[in-house]
Amino acid sequence: YRRISKEGWRAVARDTVGRTFLVAAVLCIVCSILVSGAAVALKEKQDENAAVEKKKNILVATGLCDAKATPEEVKKAYEAVQEELIDLETGLPAPESIDRKKYDSRKAARDPALNVNLPKEKRIAGFKQREKYAFVYKVPSKSGEQLIVFPVYGKGLWSPRYGFVAVSSDWRTVK
């Protein structure tokens, strides 16, 4: 109600369409600022967690670590792992000109300078190209044998699925 004179009050419509849209717009702007601010502020922590998760998945593939391991346990167990970037055509180490800290095989598969177009007979699961180089991880097992872990990927229901496979050094036994 709003006072219109000394004698009386008059009802004022506060629930208008314009006010509803104004409240919704202000709420959307405030929430988007909060969410984007949190994403920017936590970017470093997200990247660190992603790196630990990747290391954990490599160790889980070898059986040296379980899925419930803490980040400290993962970092300690991963110290024994040797990372090597190899040329997938030759099996030899990749050229030194490639920055190993920044190399991302998923991005390389889409980069014409870093990928290889596959012929039709080798287009398994619909992939038309693959990266030229990939990381391979050499991991000592509990029995003293050296395991080789390499990344694998394939088509999933809605998007590609990624994982790691560990094989023994004879390349015949999947661990």
Side-chain angles (χ1 to χ4, degrees):
Y1 288 95
R2 180 187 296 166
R3 189 173 188 148
I4 55 172
S5 67
K6 290 183 181 181
E7 294 82 35
W9 295 80
R10 182 175 73 112
V12 176
R14 291 188 169 194
D15 294 336
T16 64
V17 173
R19 285 185 181 210
T20 302
F21 279 113
L22 178 65
V23 168
V26 169
L27 185 64
C28 287
I29 290 169
V30 169
C31 289
S32 65
I33 289 171
L34 290 174
V35 169
S36 62
V40 169
L42 298 173
K43 177 74 170 132
E44 188 176 311
K45 186 68 173 169
Q46 290 172 345
D47 292 343
E48 181 183 329
N49 287 342
V52 168
E53 185 70 20
K54 179 179 177 181
K55 291 175 182 178
K56 184 192 312 185
N57 289 333
I58 291 167
L59 293 171
V60 167
T62 63
L64 292 177
C65 179
D66 67 347
K68 295 180 181 179
T70 65
E72 292 78 25
E73 293 170 338
V74 171
K75 288 176 186 175
K76 184 172 178 10
Y78 196 79
E79 290 174 358
V81 176
Q82 296 174 339
E83 294 182 6
E84 190 172 332
L85 186 64
I86 62 163
D87 183 332
L88 293 175
E89 291 293 323
T90 64
L92 299 173
E96 293 296 322
S97 61
I98 296 175
D99 186 3
R100 280 141 170 79
K101 295 213 185 267
K102 293 183 180 179
Y103 183 79
D104 182 357
S105 60
R106 293 181 193 183
K107 290 180 183 174
R110 294 185 300 269
D111 183 355
L114 295 173
N115 72 19
V116 174
N117 288 323
L118 296 172
K120 286 190 178 190
E121 64 273 4
K122 290 190 177 185
R123 290 185 182 174
I124 300 170
F127 290 104
K128 294 180 181 176
Q129 65 264 349
R130 66 159 174 78
E131 65 275 16
K132 287 182 184 177
Y133 311 106
F135 279 103
V136 179
Y137 307 91
K138 297 177 182 175
V139 184
S141 70
K142 292 178 183 176
S143 65
E145 177 186 21
Q146 185 167 7
L147 302 177
I148 300 165
V149 180
F150 55 94
V152 293
Y153 60 91
K155 291 279 186 176
L157 182 58
W158 288 293
S159 65
R161 310 309 289 159
Y162 297 92
F164 294 96
V165 172
V167 296
S168 63
S169 55
D170 67 0
W171 288 93
R172 295 184 186 275
T173 308
V174 175
K175 297 290 185 171

